[in-house]
Amino acid sequence: MPNDQTTKLLVGCAAGFSGDRTDAALPVVQALIASGQPAVLIFETLAERTLALAQLARRTDPDAGYEPLLVDLLRPVLAQCLAHGVRIVSNFGAANPHGAARRIHALAAELGLARPRIAVLQGDDLSGPEHRALLQSALGAAMPTEPIVSANAYIGAEAIADALRAGADIVVCGRVADPSLVLGPALAHYGWALDDWDRLARATMAGHLLECGAQVTGGYFADPGYKDVPDLAHLGYPMAEIDADGHCTITKPPGTGGCITERTVKEQLLYELHDPAAYLTPDVVADITTARVTTVGADAVRLEGVCGHARPATLKVNVCFESGWFAEGEISYAGPRAEARARLAGEVLRERLSGLGPLRIDLIGVTSIFGDDASQWLDAPAGDARDVRLRVAAQHRDHASAQRLLREVTALYTCGPAGGGGVRTAMRPRLGTVSCLVPRDAVAVRFEMAD
């Protein structure tokens, strides 16, 4: 991507998490192409838990560990993106970016397309034994004694920009900071200096507005009768037009559902911001206390006035480790005295599983959402709900011990109280997480072109 101070860059987002809709990309890509502007498509598909699960998947299959919906996301749009020069940048590499690159090459071959140039970012994965001393130094007494599943640093936009400048059609990342998926293309397009803090902060906040996909176009915003959103079933996903100073205008593809208003933009702007004056990223510390959000057209809102400060000297690392097993079971009670029967069933389980450790017991629809693991659910005032689902959950380091919960819930079919049914049980590995900061220069970030 050549440095270009006159032509604005258009970035579209077609996923905000792993498991997002796979039909979202096509309207975005069509709008990017129709604009005639330099354009980039991003998919944001990675979260802390997602990455740990990807590492577990790779243990079972060395070729796995990238976004499970990779092909479903790319198949509808890969040909058009390559034909019209729309670059693709995503963290769908997860725990296996090279595996993702191989699968994209295979998909291109299946579609009869020319082989795309794919850059793979490296350096975020610190889970290998060569990094143990670094993690031990950073975590101290918090260093897990259990086997580590994943340890990944949040890396930034610089290597993404380098890869795009080197001619990559697609940039596959693992754990990069979400806004860096947008800042990287802006760096490549405009050639900003890496200490141009105001411009970096502005493009970072453009990335922050895009990173959750349809959240900024009304999806997570919608609340009927209070915050109504039109045609929620056909939400358009967002696009950001970024200018040479880093300011952006948020829009969506024409003809799609949802809405972009000052309210939707402000909600997303504040999302996950612990300090509006100091939003920490690997690239810059963004300050939105002087930001201005202005409507400039139908479904078009402009963000200006963001300031930036020097980036942190450290990078955040999330370490996930094996933490035993999580078991849960559910059973339903309905009709007269349903709540009383569900409460009695909970009492039975609490007594029979007393040696298992703390139980989480919920009466779904009665006492669940506003409770927590420490709540005394049996002490809550009894009501007369006629449709109640009892949920019981526990975690234990021992597989066989955790499995007892599943058997006890199932036994309620005939061991009472009366009328229980619809039992569902499940058990899965439990992952624990600790976080730390490591010196920036201890993380060697680079890109390489996939073979």
Side-chain angles (χ1 to χ4, degrees), residues 329-335 337-343 345 349 362-364 385-392 409-410 412-413 416-425:
E330 297 178 3
I331 184 170
S332 293
Y333 296 89
R337 298 172 301 283
E339 184 175 333
R341 285 181 282 129
R343 285 176 179 270
L349 291 173
D362 295 306
L363 301 178
I364 296 175
R386 295 169 59 86
D387 184 348
V388 181
R389 188 155 179 85
L390 174 70
R391 175 186 178 271
V392 183
V409 173
T410 302
L412 289 173
Y413 266 129
V423 169
R424 182 194 68 84
T425 62

PDB file of all heavy atoms in Angstrom, residues 329-335 337-343 345 349 362-364 385-392 409-410 412-413 416-425:
ATOM      1  N   GLY A 329     -25.387 -29.317  35.206  1.00  0.00           N
ATOM      2  CA  GLY A 329     -26.584 -30.083  34.875  1.00  0.00           C
ATOM      3  C   GLY A 329     -27.820 -29.236  35.067  1.00  0.00           C
ATOM      4  O   GLY A 329     -27.846 -28.331  35.917  1.00  0.00           O
ATOM      5  N   GLU A 330     -28.851 -29.507  34.270  1.00  0.00           N
ATOM      6  CA  GLU A 330     -30.103 -28.767  34.350  1.00  0.00           C
ATOM      7  C   GLU A 330     -31.275 -29.736  34.324  1.00  0.00           C
ATOM      8  O   GLU A 330     -31.203 -30.802  33.688  1.00  0.00           O
ATOM      9  CB  GLU A 330     -30.238 -27.794  33.176  1.00  0.00           C
ATOM     10  CG  GLU A 330     -29.182 -26.716  33.128  1.00  0.00           C
ATOM     11  CD  GLU A 330     -29.338 -25.804  31.924  1.00  0.00           C
ATOM     12  OE1 GLU A 330     -30.315 -25.995  31.160  1.00  0.00           O
ATOM     13  OE2 GLU A 330     -28.504 -24.909  31.742  1.00  0.00           O
ATOM     14  N   ILE A 331     -32.360 -29.367  34.997  1.00  0.00           N
ATOM     15  CA  ILE A 331     -33.592 -30.139  34.973  1.00  0.00           C
ATOM     16  C   ILE A 331     -34.755 -29.178  35.165  1.00  0.00           C
ATOM     17  O   ILE A 331     -34.634 -28.184  35.897  1.00  0.00           O
ATOM     18  CB  ILE A 331     -33.586 -31.242  36.067  1.00  0.00           C
ATOM     19  CG1 ILE A 331     -34.844 -32.109  35.971  1.00  0.00           C
ATOM     20  CG2 ILE A 331     -33.409 -30.647  37.463  1.00  0.00           C
ATOM     21  CD1 ILE A 331     -34.791 -33.353  36.850  1.00  0.00           C
ATOM     22  N   SER A 332     -35.874 -29.423  34.497  1.00  0.00           N
ATOM     23  CA  SER A 332     -37.017 -28.511  34.513  1.00  0.00           C
ATOM     24  C   SER A 332     -38.156 -29.033  35.381  1.00  0.00           C
ATOM     25  O   SER A 332     -38.371 -30.249  35.490  1.00  0.00           O
ATOM     26  CB  SER A 332     -37.547 -28.303  33.085  1.00  0.00           C
ATOM     27  OG  SER A 332     -36.611 -27.623  32.294  1.00  0.00           O
ATOM     28  N   TYR A 333     -38.881 -28.060  35.968  1.00  0.00           N
ATOM     29  CA  TYR A 333     -40.095 -28.351  36.725  1.00  0.00           C
ATOM     30  C   TYR A 333     -41.166 -27.361  36.275  1.00  0.00           C
ATOM     31  O   TYR A 333     -40.876 -26.183  36.072  1.00  0.00           O
ATOM     32  CB  TYR A 333     -39.852 -28.214  38.230  1.00  0.00           C
ATOM     33  CG  TYR A 333     -38.856 -29.224  38.754  1.00  0.00           C
ATOM     34  CD1 TYR A 333     -37.498 -28.935  38.771  1.00  0.00           C
ATOM     35  CD2 TYR A 333     -39.275 -30.475  39.184  1.00  0.00           C
ATOM     36  CE1 TYR A 333     -36.575 -29.864  39.208  1.00  0.00           C
ATOM     37  CE2 TYR A 333     -38.359 -31.420  39.625  1.00  0.00           C
ATOM     38  CZ  TYR A 333     -37.014 -31.109  39.636  1.00  0.00           C
ATOM     39  OH  TYR A 333     -36.104 -32.045  40.064  1.00  0.00           O
ATOM     40  N   ALA A 334     -42.398 -27.847  36.105  1.00  0.00           N
ATOM     41  CA  ALA A 334     -43.477 -26.993  35.612  1.00  0.00           C
ATOM     42  C   ALA A 334     -44.779 -27.322  36.324  1.00  0.00           C
ATOM     43  O   ALA A 334     -44.933 -28.397  36.912  1.00  0.00           O
ATOM     44  CB  ALA A 334     -43.640 -27.161  34.094  1.00  0.00           C
ATOM     45  N   GLY A 335     -45.687 -26.359  36.265  1.00  0.00           N
ATOM     46  CA  GLY A 335     -47.009 -26.576  36.847  1.00  0.00           C
ATOM     47  C   GLY A 335     -47.091 -26.119  38.295  1.00  0.00           C
ATOM     48  O   GLY A 335     -46.221 -25.391  38.794  1.00  0.00           O
ATOM     49  N   ARG A 337     -46.689 -25.574  42.112  1.00  0.00           N
ATOM     50  CA  ARG A 337     -45.595 -25.778  43.070  1.00  0.00           C
ATOM     51  C   ARG A 337     -44.265 -26.089  42.371  1.00  0.00           C
ATOM     52  O   ARG A 337     -43.379 -26.723  42.945  1.00  0.00           O
ATOM     53  CB  ARG A 337     -45.944 -26.871  44.079  1.00  0.00           C
ATOM     54  CG  ARG A 337     -47.161 -26.528  44.943  1.00  0.00           C
ATOM     55  CD  ARG A 337     -47.596 -27.683  45.795  1.00  0.00           C
ATOM     56  NE  ARG A 337     -47.949 -28.865  44.992  1.00  0.00           N
ATOM     57  CZ  ARG A 337     -49.088 -28.996  44.317  1.00  0.00           C
ATOM     58  NH1 ARG A 337     -50.004 -28.030  44.363  1.00  0.00           N
ATOM     59  NH2 ARG A 337     -49.339 -30.079  43.607  1.00  0.00           N
ATOM     60  N   ALA A 338     -44.119 -25.648  41.120  1.00  0.00           N
ATOM     61  CA  ALA A 338     -42.885 -25.939  40.370  1.00  0.00           C
ATOM     62  C   ALA A 338     -41.663 -25.355  41.073  1.00  0.00           C
ATOM     63  O   ALA A 338     -40.625 -26.010  41.188  1.00  0.00           O
ATOM     64  CB  ALA A 338     -42.999 -25.387  38.948  1.00  0.00           C
ATOM     65  N   GLU A 339     -41.781 -24.111  41.559  1.00  0.00           N
ATOM     66  CA  GLU A 339     -40.614 -23.499  42.201  1.00  0.00           C
ATOM     67  C   GLU A 339     -40.235 -24.241  43.477  1.00  0.00           C
ATOM     68  O   GLU A 339     -39.046 -24.456  43.760  1.00  0.00           O
ATOM     69  CB  GLU A 339     -40.883 -22.031  42.508  1.00  0.00           C
ATOM     70  CG  GLU A 339     -39.661 -21.332  43.089  1.00  0.00           C
ATOM     71  CD  GLU A 339     -39.872 -19.843  43.295  1.00  0.00           C
ATOM     72  OE1 GLU A 339     -40.700 -19.235  42.566  1.00  0.00           O
ATOM     73  OE2 GLU A 339     -39.197 -19.282  44.191  1.00  0.00           O
ATOM     74  N   ALA A 340     -41.231 -24.652  44.240  1.00  0.00           N
ATOM     75  CA  ALA A 340     -40.943 -25.388  45.473  1.00  0.00           C
ATOM     76  C   ALA A 340     -40.255 -26.709  45.168  1.00  0.00           C
ATOM     77  O   ALA A 340     -39.314 -27.120  45.868  1.00  0.00           O
ATOM     78  CB  ALA A 340     -42.237 -25.632  46.256  1.00  0.00           C
ATOM     79  N   ARG A 341     -40.679 -27.379  44.110  1.00  0.00           N
ATOM     80  CA  ARG A 341     -40.043 -28.648  43.747  1.00  0.00           C
ATOM     81  C   ARG A 341     -38.612 -28.430  43.251  1.00  0.00           C
ATOM     82  O   ARG A 341     -37.703 -29.201  43.554  1.00  0.00           O
ATOM     83  CB  ARG A 341     -40.896 -29.371  42.699  1.00  0.00           C
ATOM     84  CG  ARG A 341     -42.154 -29.995  43.285  1.00  0.00           C
ATOM     85  CD  ARG A 341     -42.995 -30.727  42.251  1.00  0.00           C
ATOM     86  NE  ARG A 341     -43.782 -29.813  41.448  1.00  0.00           N
ATOM     87  CZ  ARG A 341     -43.823 -29.803  40.125  1.00  0.00           C
ATOM     88  NH1 ARG A 341     -43.073 -30.655  39.427  1.00  0.00           N
ATOM     89  NH2 ARG A 341     -44.599 -28.955  39.483  1.00  0.00           N
ATOM     90  N   ALA A 342     -38.399 -27.350  42.495  1.00  0.00           N
ATOM     91  CA  ALA A 342     -37.047 -27.053  42.026  1.00  0.00           C
ATOM     92  C   ALA A 342     -36.122 -26.719  43.201  1.00  0.00           C
ATOM     93  O   ALA A 342     -34.966 -27.136  43.239  1.00  0.00           O
ATOM     94  CB  ALA A 342     -37.085 -25.893  41.036  1.00  0.00           C
ATOM     95  N   ARG A 343     -36.637 -25.966  44.178  1.00  0.00           N
ATOM     96  CA  ARG A 343     -35.825 -25.644  45.345  1.00  0.00           C
ATOM     97  C   ARG A 343     -35.476 -26.909  46.126  1.00  0.00           C
ATOM     98  O   ARG A 343     -34.336 -27.068  46.599  1.00  0.00           O
ATOM     99  CB  ARG A 343     -36.571 -24.656  46.244  1.00  0.00           C
ATOM    100  CG  ARG A 343     -36.596 -23.237  45.701  1.00  0.00           C
ATOM    101  CD  ARG A 343     -37.426 -22.318  46.596  1.00  0.00           C
ATOM    102  NE  ARG A 343     -37.421 -20.953  46.073  1.00  0.00           N
ATOM    103  CZ  ARG A 343     -36.529 -20.026  46.393  1.00  0.00           C
ATOM    104  NH1 ARG A 343     -35.540 -20.333  47.233  1.00  0.00           N
ATOM    105  NH2 ARG A 343     -36.603 -18.815  45.881  1.00  0.00           N
ATOM    106  N   ALA A 345     -35.188 -29.909  44.908  1.00  0.00           N
ATOM    107  CA  ALA A 345     -34.178 -30.627  44.133  1.00  0.00           C
ATOM    108  C   ALA A 345     -32.793 -30.017  44.365  1.00  0.00           C
ATOM    109  O   ALA A 345     -31.796 -30.735  44.493  1.00  0.00           O
ATOM    110  CB  ALA A 345     -34.535 -30.589  42.650  1.00  0.00           C
ATOM    111  N   LEU A 349     -29.418 -31.898  45.913  1.00  0.00           N
ATOM    112  CA  LEU A 349     -28.106 -31.914  45.267  1.00  0.00           C
ATOM    113  C   LEU A 349     -27.042 -31.301  46.161  1.00  0.00           C
ATOM    114  O   LEU A 349     -25.907 -31.791  46.218  1.00  0.00           O
ATOM    115  CB  LEU A 349     -28.175 -31.163  43.929  1.00  0.00           C
ATOM    116  CG  LEU A 349     -28.991 -31.844  42.830  1.00  0.00           C
ATOM    117  CD1 LEU A 349     -29.121 -30.926  41.627  1.00  0.00           C
ATOM    118  CD2 LEU A 349     -28.365 -33.167  42.418  1.00  0.00           C
ATOM    119  N   ASP A 362     -28.779 -22.311  40.463  1.00  0.00           N
ATOM    120  CA  ASP A 362     -29.644 -21.262  39.929  1.00  0.00           C
ATOM    121  C   ASP A 362     -31.032 -21.809  39.658  1.00  0.00           C
ATOM    122  O   ASP A 362     -31.186 -22.947  39.178  1.00  0.00           O
ATOM    123  CB  ASP A 362     -29.091 -20.718  38.609  1.00  0.00           C
ATOM    124  CG  ASP A 362     -27.764 -20.003  38.776  1.00  0.00           C
ATOM    125  OD1 ASP A 362     -27.701 -19.091  39.616  1.00  0.00           O
ATOM    126  OD2 ASP A 362     -26.807 -20.362  38.071  1.00  0.00           O
ATOM    127  N   LEU A 363     -32.020 -21.009  39.953  1.00  0.00           N
ATOM    128  CA  LEU A 363     -33.371 -21.262  39.455  1.00  0.00           C
ATOM    129  C   LEU A 363     -33.561 -20.323  38.277  1.00  0.00           C
ATOM    130  O   LEU A 363     -33.830 -19.132  38.453  1.00  0.00           O
ATOM    131  CB  LEU A 363     -34.413 -20.985  40.550  1.00  0.00           C
ATOM    132  CG  LEU A 363     -34.289 -21.806  41.835  1.00  0.00           C
ATOM    133  CD1 LEU A 363     -35.355 -21.389  42.830  1.00  0.00           C
ATOM    134  CD2 LEU A 363     -34.398 -23.288  41.535  1.00  0.00           C
ATOM    135  N   ILE A 364     -33.366 -20.834  37.083  1.00  0.00           N
ATOM    136  CA  ILE A 364     -33.379 -19.983  35.895  1.00  0.00           C
ATOM    137  C   ILE A 364     -34.756 -19.356  35.722  1.00  0.00           C
ATOM    138  O   ILE A 364     -35.771 -20.046  35.708  1.00  0.00           O
ATOM    139  CB  ILE A 364     -32.977 -20.798  34.654  1.00  0.00           C
ATOM    140  CG1 ILE A 364     -31.526 -21.285  34.809  1.00  0.00           C
ATOM    141  CG2 ILE A 364     -33.105 -19.953  33.387  1.00  0.00           C
ATOM    142  CD1 ILE A 364     -31.072 -22.203  33.708  1.00  0.00           C
ATOM    143  N   ALA A 385     -43.359 -19.467  40.957  1.00  0.00           N
ATOM    144  CA  ALA A 385     -43.136 -19.646  39.527  1.00  0.00           C
ATOM    145  C   ALA A 385     -43.632 -21.014  39.087  1.00  0.00           C
ATOM    146  O   ALA A 385     -43.485 -22.009  39.809  1.00  0.00           O
ATOM    147  CB  ALA A 385     -41.650 -19.494  39.208  1.00  0.00           C
ATOM    148  N   ARG A 386     -44.240 -21.090  37.912  1.00  0.00           N
ATOM    149  CA  ARG A 386     -44.815 -22.347  37.427  1.00  0.00           C
ATOM    150  C   ARG A 386     -43.995 -22.950  36.287  1.00  0.00           C
ATOM    151  O   ARG A 386     -44.388 -23.942  35.683  1.00  0.00           O
ATOM    152  CB  ARG A 386     -46.254 -22.101  36.961  1.00  0.00           C
ATOM    153  CG  ARG A 386     -47.181 -21.684  38.088  1.00  0.00           C
ATOM    154  CD  ARG A 386     -48.526 -21.200  37.555  1.00  0.00           C
ATOM    155  NE  ARG A 386     -49.212 -22.207  36.770  1.00  0.00           N
ATOM    156  CZ  ARG A 386     -50.017 -23.158  37.278  1.00  0.00           C
ATOM    157  NH1 ARG A 386     -50.199 -23.206  38.602  1.00  0.00           N
ATOM    158  NH2 ARG A 386     -50.629 -24.022  36.509  1.00  0.00           N
ATOM    159  N   ASP A 387     -42.854 -22.333  35.979  1.00  0.00           N
ATOM    160  CA  ASP A 387     -42.006 -22.821  34.881  1.00  0.00           C
ATOM    161  C   ASP A 387     -40.564 -22.521  35.286  1.00  0.00           C
ATOM    162  O   ASP A 387     -40.070 -21.418  35.093  1.00  0.00           O
ATOM    163  CB  ASP A 387     -42.381 -22.100  33.592  1.00  0.00           C
ATOM    164  CG  ASP A 387     -41.625 -22.617  32.379  1.00  0.00           C
ATOM    165  OD1 ASP A 387     -40.650 -23.365  32.561  1.00  0.00           O
ATOM    166  OD2 ASP A 387     -41.998 -22.249  31.253  1.00  0.00           O
ATOM    167  N   VAL A 388     -39.892 -23.498  35.878  1.00  0.00           N
ATOM    168  CA  VAL A 388     -38.581 -23.265  36.486  1.00  0.00           C
ATOM    169  C   VAL A 388     -37.589 -24.303  35.973  1.00  0.00           C
ATOM    170  O   VAL A 388     -37.925 -25.493  35.866  1.00  0.00           O
ATOM    171  CB  VAL A 388     -38.656 -23.355  38.030  1.00  0.00           C
ATOM    172  CG1 VAL A 388     -37.282 -23.084  38.640  1.00  0.00           C
ATOM    173  CG2 VAL A 388     -39.680 -22.375  38.569  1.00  0.00           C
ATOM    174  N   ARG A 389     -36.390 -23.841  35.667  1.00  0.00           N
ATOM    175  CA  ARG A 389     -35.317 -24.769  35.294  1.00  0.00           C
ATOM    176  C   ARG A 389     -34.191 -24.636  36.318  1.00  0.00           C
ATOM    177  O   ARG A 389     -33.646 -23.545  36.516  1.00  0.00           O
ATOM    178  CB  ARG A 389     -34.797 -24.496  33.889  1.00  0.00           C
ATOM    179  CG  ARG A 389     -33.816 -25.557  33.381  1.00  0.00           C
ATOM    180  CD  ARG A 389     -33.800 -25.599  31.868  1.00  0.00           C
ATOM    181  NE  ARG A 389     -32.868 -26.572  31.335  1.00  0.00           N
ATOM    182  CZ  ARG A 389     -33.122 -27.864  31.144  1.00  0.00           C
ATOM    183  NH1 ARG A 389     -34.316 -28.353  31.481  1.00  0.00           N
ATOM    184  NH2 ARG A 389     -32.222 -28.673  30.631  1.00  0.00           N
ATOM    185  N   LEU A 390     -33.891 -25.742  36.971  1.00  0.00           N
ATOM    186  CA  LEU A 390     -32.826 -25.785  37.957  1.00  0.00           C
ATOM    187  C   LEU A 390     -31.499 -26.044  37.256  1.00  0.00           C
ATOM    188  O   LEU A 390     -31.390 -26.959  36.446  1.00  0.00           O
ATOM    189  CB  LEU A 390     -33.101 -26.896  38.970  1.00  0.00           C
ATOM    190  CG  LEU A 390     -31.994 -27.157  39.999  1.00  0.00           C
ATOM    191  CD1 LEU A 390     -31.888 -26.011  40.986  1.00  0.00           C
ATOM    192  CD2 LEU A 390     -32.230 -28.483  40.718  1.00  0.00           C
ATOM    193  N   ARG A 391     -30.497 -25.228  37.569  1.00  0.00           N
ATOM    194  CA  ARG A 391     -29.148 -25.420  37.043  1.00  0.00           C
ATOM    195  C   ARG A 391     -28.174 -25.526  38.198  1.00  0.00           C
ATOM    196  O   ARG A 391     -28.206 -24.711  39.130  1.00  0.00           O
ATOM    197  CB  ARG A 391     -28.743 -24.257  36.132  1.00  0.00           C
ATOM    198  CG  ARG A 391     -27.289 -24.348  35.635  1.00  0.00           C
ATOM    199  CD  ARG A 391     -26.897 -23.108  34.866  1.00  0.00           C
ATOM    200  NE  ARG A 391     -25.515 -23.156  34.423  1.00  0.00           N
ATOM    201  CZ  ARG A 391     -24.477 -22.708  35.148  1.00  0.00           C
ATOM    202  NH1 ARG A 391     -24.686 -22.186  36.357  1.00  0.00           N
ATOM    203  NH2 ARG A 391     -23.245 -22.797  34.680  1.00  0.00           N
ATOM    204  N   VAL A 392     -27.323 -26.533  38.135  1.00  0.00           N
ATOM    205  CA  VAL A 392     -26.306 -26.738  39.159  1.00  0.00           C
ATOM    206  C   VAL A 392     -24.967 -26.891  38.460  1.00  0.00           C
ATOM    207  O   VAL A 392     -24.861 -27.618  37.455  1.00  0.00           O
ATOM    208  CB  VAL A 392     -26.611 -27.979  40.007  1.00  0.00           C
ATOM    209  CG1 VAL A 392     -25.572 -28.135  41.114  1.00  0.00           C
ATOM    210  CG2 VAL A 392     -27.995 -27.889  40.609  1.00  0.00           C
ATOM    211  N   VAL A 409     -27.596 -35.180  38.989  1.00  0.00           N
ATOM    212  CA  VAL A 409     -28.688 -34.457  38.326  1.00  0.00           C
ATOM    213  C   VAL A 409     -29.549 -35.416  37.524  1.00  0.00           C
ATOM    214  O   VAL A 409     -30.785 -35.350  37.560  1.00  0.00           O
ATOM    215  CB  VAL A 409     -28.127 -33.331  37.434  1.00  0.00           C
ATOM    216  CG1 VAL A 409     -29.249 -32.690  36.611  1.00  0.00           C
ATOM    217  CG2 VAL A 409     -27.427 -32.273  38.265  1.00  0.00           C
ATOM    218  N   THR A 410     -28.915 -36.322  36.808  1.00  0.00           N
ATOM    219  CA  THR A 410     -29.678 -37.299  36.019  1.00  0.00           C
ATOM    220  C   THR A 410     -30.554 -38.160  36.919  1.00  0.00           C
ATOM    221  O   THR A 410     -31.704 -38.501  36.564  1.00  0.00           O
ATOM    222  CB  THR A 410     -28.717 -38.181  35.204  1.00  0.00           C
ATOM    223  OG1 THR A 410     -27.926 -37.358  34.357  1.00  0.00           O
ATOM    224  CG2 THR A 410     -29.482 -39.187  34.355  1.00  0.00           C
ATOM    225  N   LEU A 412     -32.205 -37.396  39.389  1.00  0.00           N
ATOM    226  CA  LEU A 412     -33.424 -36.719  39.844  1.00  0.00           C
ATOM    227  C   LEU A 412     -34.656 -37.116  39.031  1.00  0.00           C
ATOM    228  O   LEU A 412     -35.785 -36.855  39.454  1.00  0.00           O
ATOM    229  CB  LEU A 412     -33.231 -35.201  39.780  1.00  0.00           C
ATOM    230  CG  LEU A 412     -32.275 -34.598  40.810  1.00  0.00           C
ATOM    231  CD1 LEU A 412     -32.061 -33.126  40.520  1.00  0.00           C
ATOM    232  CD2 LEU A 412     -32.783 -34.795  42.228  1.00  0.00           C
ATOM    233  N   TYR A 413     -34.452 -37.737  37.866  1.00  0.00           N
ATOM    234  CA  TYR A 413     -35.597 -38.205  37.083  1.00  0.00           C
ATOM    235  C   TYR A 413     -36.552 -39.016  37.957  1.00  0.00           C
ATOM    236  O   TYR A 413     -37.768 -38.795  37.944  1.00  0.00           O
ATOM    237  CB  TYR A 413     -35.115 -39.083  35.927  1.00  0.00           C
ATOM    238  CG  TYR A 413     -34.923 -38.353  34.617  1.00  0.00           C
ATOM    239  CD1 TYR A 413     -33.739 -38.472  33.916  1.00  0.00           C
ATOM    240  CD2 TYR A 413     -35.938 -37.563  34.072  1.00  0.00           C
ATOM    241  CE1 TYR A 413     -33.543 -37.835  32.693  1.00  0.00           C
ATOM    242  CE2 TYR A 413     -35.761 -36.916  32.863  1.00  0.00           C
ATOM    243  CZ  TYR A 413     -34.558 -37.054  32.179  1.00  0.00           C
ATOM    244  OH  TYR A 413     -34.385 -36.415  30.977  1.00  0.00           O
ATOM    245  N   GLY A 416     -36.763 -37.961  42.618  1.00  0.00           N
ATOM    246  CA  GLY A 416     -37.571 -36.860  43.082  1.00  0.00           C
ATOM    247  C   GLY A 416     -36.822 -35.538  43.114  1.00  0.00           C
ATOM    248  O   GLY A 416     -35.603 -35.507  42.953  1.00  0.00           O
ATOM    249  N   PRO A 417     -37.572 -34.476  43.310  1.00  0.00           N
ATOM    250  CA  PRO A 417     -39.024 -34.358  43.476  1.00  0.00           C
ATOM    251  C   PRO A 417     -39.802 -34.730  42.199  1.00  0.00           C
ATOM    252  O   PRO A 417     -39.205 -35.006  41.165  1.00  0.00           O
ATOM    253  CB  PRO A 417     -39.211 -32.880  43.816  1.00  0.00           C
ATOM    254  CG  PRO A 417     -37.874 -32.370  44.201  1.00  0.00           C
ATOM    255  CD  PRO A 417     -36.891 -33.186  43.429  1.00  0.00           C
ATOM    256  N   ALA A 418     -41.120 -34.668  42.328  1.00  0.00           N
ATOM    257  CA  ALA A 418     -41.989 -35.113  41.242  1.00  0.00           C
ATOM    258  C   ALA A 418     -41.892 -34.204  40.031  1.00  0.00           C
ATOM    259  O   ALA A 418     -41.707 -32.990  40.145  1.00  0.00           O
ATOM    260  CB  ALA A 418     -43.435 -35.164  41.737  1.00  0.00           C
ATOM    261  N   GLY A 419     -42.050 -34.828  38.861  1.00  0.00           N
ATOM    262  CA  GLY A 419     -42.266 -34.067  37.636  1.00  0.00           C
ATOM    263  C   GLY A 419     -41.043 -33.454  37.005  1.00  0.00           C
ATOM    264  O   GLY A 419     -41.171 -32.632  36.104  1.00  0.00           O
ATOM    265  N   GLY A 420     -39.836 -33.826  37.438  1.00  0.00           N
ATOM    266  CA  GLY A 420     -38.649 -33.284  36.806  1.00  0.00           C
ATOM    267  C   GLY A 420     -38.408 -33.891  35.435  1.00  0.00           C
ATOM    268  O   GLY A 420     -38.694 -35.074  35.207  1.00  0.00           O
ATOM    269  N   GLY A 421     -37.890 -33.125  34.498  1.00  0.00           N
ATOM    270  CA  GLY A 421     -37.632 -33.655  33.157  1.00  0.00           C
ATOM    271  C   GLY A 421     -36.737 -32.737  32.360  1.00  0.00           C
ATOM    272  O   GLY A 421     -36.359 -31.656  32.797  1.00  0.00           O
ATOM    273  N   GLY A 422     -36.399 -33.194  31.167  1.00  0.00           N
ATOM    274  CA  GLY A 422     -35.570 -32.393  30.282  1.00  0.00           C
ATOM    275  C   GLY A 422     -34.162 -32.212  30.808  1.00  0.00           C
ATOM    276  O   GLY A 422     -33.587 -31.124  30.713  1.00  0.00           O
ATOM    277  N   VAL A 423     -33.579 -33.286  31.348  1.00  0.00           N
ATOM    278  CA  VAL A 423     -32.237 -33.183  31.904  1.00  0.00           C
ATOM    279  C   VAL A 423     -31.203 -32.949  30.794  1.00  0.00           C
ATOM    280  O   VAL A 423     -31.262 -33.571  29.734  1.00  0.00           O
ATOM    281  CB  VAL A 423     -31.873 -34.455  32.697  1.00  0.00           C
ATOM    282  CG1 VAL A 423     -30.383 -34.462  33.049  1.00  0.00           C
ATOM    283  CG2 VAL A 423     -32.709 -34.549  33.961  1.00  0.00           C
ATOM    284  N   ARG A 424     -30.280 -32.043  31.071  1.00  0.00           N
ATOM    285  CA  ARG A 424     -29.137 -31.819  30.187  1.00  0.00           C
ATOM    286  C   ARG A 424     -27.907 -31.716  31.059  1.00  0.00           C
ATOM    287  O   ARG A 424     -27.899 -30.963  32.046  1.00  0.00           O
ATOM    288  CB  ARG A 424     -29.304 -30.533  29.383  1.00  0.00           C
ATOM    289  CG  ARG A 424     -28.156 -30.267  28.392  1.00  0.00           C
ATOM    290  CD  ARG A 424     -28.188 -28.848  27.863  1.00  0.00           C
ATOM    291  NE  ARG A 424     -27.871 -27.876  28.895  1.00  0.00           N
ATOM    292  CZ  ARG A 424     -26.624 -27.534  29.248  1.00  0.00           C
ATOM    293  NH1 ARG A 424     -25.583 -28.086  28.646  1.00  0.00           N
ATOM    294  NH2 ARG A 424     -26.414 -26.641  30.201  1.00  0.00           N
ATOM    295  N   THR A 425     -26.874 -32.469  30.723  1.00  0.00           N
ATOM    296  CA  THR A 425     -25.622 -32.396  31.473  1.00  0.00           C
ATOM    297  C   THR A 425     -24.464 -32.192  30.510  1.00  0.00           C
ATOM    298  O   THR A 425     -24.535 -32.584  29.342  1.00  0.00           O
ATOM    299  CB  THR A 425     -25.379 -33.672  32.295  1.00  0.00           C
ATOM    300  OG1 THR A 425     -25.263 -34.797  31.418  1.00  0.00           O
ATOM    301  CG2 THR A 425     -26.495 -33.911  33.301  1.00  0.00           C
TER     302      THR A 425
END
